[in-house]
Amino acid sequence: MTSASPWIPVALSADIEAGTSAGTLVNGEERVVWRDDKGAIHVWEDRCPHRGMRMSFGFVRGDHIACLYHGWRYDTGGQCRYIPAHPDLEVPQTIKVPTFAATERAGIVWMAPEGTDPAELSTLPETAEVVRSLFLDLSTNAALLAVTAAPPEGYRPVESGTGLVTFQGNDVTVLIAAQPRDAGRTALHITVTGNTSAAIRRDLALWAIDLRNRLEAQTTEAA
């Protein structure tokens, strides 16, 4: 993954099950992450073109997602295919939800502008076990600096790309990918490869929670 990579992490793969969707923020913009019944992942703008309802409030039906408000149904390319109030209408091609390139790597869902080559993520492991996501009221740079300064006991930071921190332990590699939710909020998606025992993942999750609590305490004291 290059330092100028356009790929942004938006969720843990395990959190988006087949037939479900979830809303998130990326640089202050609302996005919906959803998985169709075949397991393919999709990331779109989180707005129905009709009345602006969040698509993340809708329902996944097979390889379509339907808006909660009036049931307008969209295919995996974002194109509206069916309007319940006008079942015989050939839906105009102009009714379409803006979409993004989406892929999965290292147990994380990534998004980028359409047409972006996912090979840029090839330096990351194909799969990984989930630890957890951590939501912080910090800018992305501040969040990554805080994480790097307080590694889990027995781990050391190793070289990472922009928006990433990697810790190396004894037969364990921890990847932390930063999602810039907005100017002052960041989500850290944490996965692990190597020795991915339940005990290792539990200890890492406890470290993450403790780190968040300490950072929140520091923010409260500063206020």
Side-chain angles (χ1 to χ4, degrees):
M1 185 172 177
T2 66
S3 59
S5 175
W7 290 98
I8 298 173
V10 292
L12 291 171
S13 292
D15 286 347
I16 313 297
E17 298 180 352
T20 69
S21 64
T24 191
L25 282 175
V26 178
N27 291 318
E29 301 289 337
E30 294 181 331
R31 303 290 179 246
V32 57
V33 185
W34 67 282
R35 192 183 298 277
D36 62 38
D37 65 340
K38 296 181 177 64
I41 200 74
H42 310 278
V43 181
W44 295 359
E45 184 176 300
D46 197 9
R47 293 288 175 185
C48 177
H50 182 214
R51 293 293 179 86
M53 172 64 74
R54 289 185 178 91
M55 294 302 298
S56 55
F57 290 170
F59 303 94
V60 178
R61 296 288 184 266
D63 60 355
H64 289 67
I65 185 170
C67 177
L68 175 67
Y69 198 8
H70 293 104
W72 289 27
R73 194 180 304 165
Y74 299 84
D75 65 18
T76 55
Q79 181 65 51
C80 184
R81 294 298 182 186
Y82 181 71
I83 298 176
H86 304 281
D88 298 324
L89 175 69
E90 183 175 342
V91 181
Q93 294 295 304
T94 53
I95 303 178
K96 188 176 186 295
V97 181
T99 64
F100 299 88
T103 192
E104 297 179 87
R105 195 86 183 187
I108 296 169
V109 179
W110 304 79
M111 64 162 281
E114 282 287 12
T116 304
D117 188 354
E120 293 193 31
L121 297 172
S122 61
T123 57
L124 300 179
E126 288 190 19
T127 61
E129 292 293 324
V130 166
V131 175
R132 63 165 294 142
S133 292
L134 200 65
F135 296 87
L136 302 174
D137 290 332
L138 293 171
S139 69
T140 298
N141 285 341
L144 291 173
L145 285 172
V147 168
T148 304
E153 185 176 355
Y155 293 78
R156 68 183 188 282
V158 296
E159 186 176 353
S160 304
T162 299
L164 293 173
V165 170
T166 304
F167 292 127
Q168 187 65 53
N170 185 20
D171 296 326
V172 183
T173 301
V174 181
L175 175 71
I176 303 174
Q179 173 187 342
R181 289 170 55 80
D182 57 29
R185 292 184 294 173
T186 300
L188 300 178
H189 304 295
I190 308 170
T191 62
V192 61
T193 58
N195 179 359
T196 59
S197 68
I200 290 289
R201 287 182 280 119
R202 182 195 64 233
D203 289 346
L204 288 169
L206 291 173
W207 162 79
I209 294 169
D210 179 66
L211 175 64
R212 182 193 61 197
N213 291 342
R214 284 186 281 123
L215 292 173
E216 288 178 349
Q218 291 173 11
T219 301
T220 301
E221 291 173 2

